[in-house]
Amino acid sequence: MVKQVSVFLENKLGRLSEVTDLLKQHDIDISAISLADTTNFGILRMIVSNPQDVAKIIKEGGFTVSITDVLALKVCDKPGGLADVLKILRDKNISVEYLYSFVKQTSGEALILVKVSDPQDAIETLKASNIKLLTEEEVYSL
């Protein structure tokens, strides 16, 4: 599993910029990023190396931060590649809470981050189906 940093942002002008400025000041590179919004707030999700340190920096900057475990998968980068993996999870009654892709590319494979209802069962299920799961070290080295 990979540690994801989640930041809760009020829907106010400049809040996202403030977080990214903090990261820039500390020379932190973002490997993957997602932003979802509601009426009053947004959730910024990021994969960064040293997530514990990054969470501390962001928290000290005045933001609410949490760290969540997500799975990092390699999926065949072709029509239906993601659908095939999601069917494997569905068939084992494992819910996908959200997912997003990496910004980095590898040859012929899409890199997907997935938050699931039962991570341990998902890991066993995906490995049994020969789906490549990336380690934290592999993700941070991309």
Side-chain angles (χ1 to χ4, degrees), residues 29-42:
D29 189 30
I30 301 168
S31 296
I33 189 167
S34 170
L35 179 63
D37 72 331
T38 64
T39 304
N40 298 318
F41 67 93

Side-chain angles (χ1 to χ4, degrees), residues 22-79:
L22 280 171
L23 300 177
K24 179 181 177 182
Q25 291 168 19
H26 290 87
D27 198 31
I28 296 165
D29 189 30
I30 301 168
S31 296
I33 189 167
S34 170
L35 179 63
D37 72 331
T38 64
T39 304
N40 298 318
F41 67 93
I43 301 174
L44 175 65
R45 296 180 172 109
M46 300 177 290
I47 302 298
V48 294
S49 56
N50 301 315
Q52 299 290 346
D53 294 339
V54 172
K56 182 179 177 191
I57 289 165
I58 294 171
K59 186 174 184 175
E60 289 172 354
F63 296 89
T64 301
V65 181
S66 66
I67 295 180
T68 307
D69 288 327
V70 294
L71 304 178
L73 317 174
K74 281 191 177 183
V75 176
C76 189
D77 191 10
K78 65 174 188 169

Side-chain angles (χ1 to χ4, degrees), residues 7-24:
V7 185
F8 296 89
L9 302 172
E10 306 96 289
N11 278 347
K12 292 182 182 175
L13 179 65
R15 292 301 278 170
L16 178 59
S17 178
E18 290 173 33
V19 172
T20 58
D21 282 343
L22 280 171
L23 300 177
K24 179 181 177 182

Side-chain angles (χ1 to χ4, degrees), residues 46-134:
M46 300 177 290
I47 302 298
V48 294
S49 56
N50 301 315
Q52 299 290 346
D53 294 339
V54 172
K56 182 179 177 191
I57 289 165
I58 294 171
K59 186 174 184 175
E60 289 172 354
F63 296 89
T64 301
V65 181
S66 66
I67 295 180
T68 307
D69 288 327
V70 294
L71 304 178
L73 317 174
K74 281 191 177 183
V75 176
C76 189
D77 191 10
K78 65 174 188 169
L82 180 59
D84 293 341
V85 172
L86 294 177
K87 182 180 183 318
I88 291 166
L89 295 172
R90 180 191 70 207
D91 289 349
K92 287 290 191 169
N93 293 317
I94 300 168
S95 296
V96 172
E97 297 176 14
Y98 57 84
L99 64 80
Y100 56 104
S101 65
F102 282 70
V103 261
K104 315 263 181 179
Q105 279 189 319
T106 61
S107 59
E109 296 171 306
L111 302 174
I112 306 292
L113 293 158
V114 183
K115 173 76 165 80
V116 294
S117 58
D118 187 340
Q120 289 307 318
D121 194 21
I123 290 169
E124 292 170 18
T125 299
L126 293 168
K127 283 183 177 179
S129 299
N130 294 318
I131 303 298
K132 170 70 174 152
L133 295 164
L134 284 76

